[in-house]
Amino acid sequence: MKKIDTRNLIMVALLSAISFALFMWEIKIVGPLEFDLSDVVVVMAGFWMGLIPGILVALIKNILHLLFFIGSGGIGELTNFVYAVLLMAPLALIKPKTWVKKIGLYILVIVFVTVSINVFNYYIAMPIYGIAQDIRFEMILLTFVPFNIVKTGVVILIFNLILPFFDRKFK
């Protein structure tokens, strides 16, 4: 975000509302794992407006979810916020021009997000949920890693599919 003006504030508010609306339609996979498309909007905000607006969209979306939905006691929202920022940050900061470099970046982002969010889950989220330490690693390896690879891949794929339609609007 180069400057704070009314247009940028409205865009952050609008994208936060859209992201929150998509966040409400979560698909429960297993245990605390849920799939939703709200992170696509966070990536869009970061890509078009910059790192700080992307973080703000993720933060507002999760604060609204915490206020309106009782469930995880905040750890689900915290985990989703960390995931969204981990996914959005490299895509907002690095914008390769060729498809080969884009695919390379996307593969690196999938690996980075999967490793980072699972370290977060192992040391922060799982202890708060009360998951025993002796089953955490196996649970992450067999459930969380495949889920995060697929989820991150789907979010990046959808982002790339809609990027050409909206990219010229934000330049």
Side-chain angles (χ1 to χ4, degrees):
M1 188 188 279
K2 300 195 179 11
K3 60 182 176 177
I4 299 174
D5 60 7
T6 306
R7 180 184 187 274
N8 289 338
L9 291 175
I10 290 171
M11 286 301 297
V12 167
L14 179 64
L15 291 173
S16 297
I18 293 169
S19 186
F20 173 64
L22 291 172
F23 199 15
M24 291 190 306
W25 295 328
E26 300 169 311
I27 300 169
K28 190 131 180 118
I29 304 297
V30 62
L33 299 178
E34 296 174 343
F35 182 82
D36 62 79
L37 295 175
S38 65
D39 298 318
V40 174
V41 181
V42 174
V43 172
M44 289 168 46
F47 186 82
W48 288 317
M49 299 175 66
L51 189 62
I52 301 301
I55 292 170
L56 287 173
V57 169
L59 182 65
I60 293 167
K61 163 190 80 160
N62 282 290
I63 289 172
L64 289 172
H65 194 268
L66 183 63
L67 292 174
F68 289 106
F69 295 96
I70 300 169
S72 65
I75 191 61
E77 288 80 11
L78 177 63
T79 304
N80 183 273
F81 174 74
V82 170
Y83 173 82
V85 171
L86 287 171
L87 175 60
M88 179 269 308
L91 297 175
L93 296 174
I94 305 168
K95 297 177 183 174
K97 300 292 182 196
T98 67
W99 271 102
V100 173
K101 290 181 180 178
K102 282 183 183 180
I103 291 171
L105 173 65
Y106 297 152
I107 290 170
L108 287 174
V109 167
I110 290 170
V111 171
F112 168 72
V113 170
T114 300
V115 170
S116 300
I117 199 64
N118 285 311
V119 167
F120 178 85
N121 282 331
Y122 186 86
Y123 289 107
I124 297 172
M126 288 179 156
I128 292 173
Y129 276 120
I131 298 172
Q133 188 169 359
D134 56 339
I135 65 168
R136 284 186 210 159
F137 186 74
E138 183 180 342
M139 187 181 217
I140 282 178
L141 199 59
L142 298 176
T143 308
F144 285 64
V145 168
F147 172 77
N148 286 314
I149 289 171
V150 171
K151 179 179 179 179
T152 306
V154 168
V155 169
I156 289 173
L157 177 66
I158 292 172
F159 170 69
N160 268 292
L161 290 174
I162 64 173
L163 183 62
F165 297 107
F166 294 100
D167 199 27
R168 61 183 164 265
K169 302 271 188 210
F170 288 92
K171 287 187 177 184

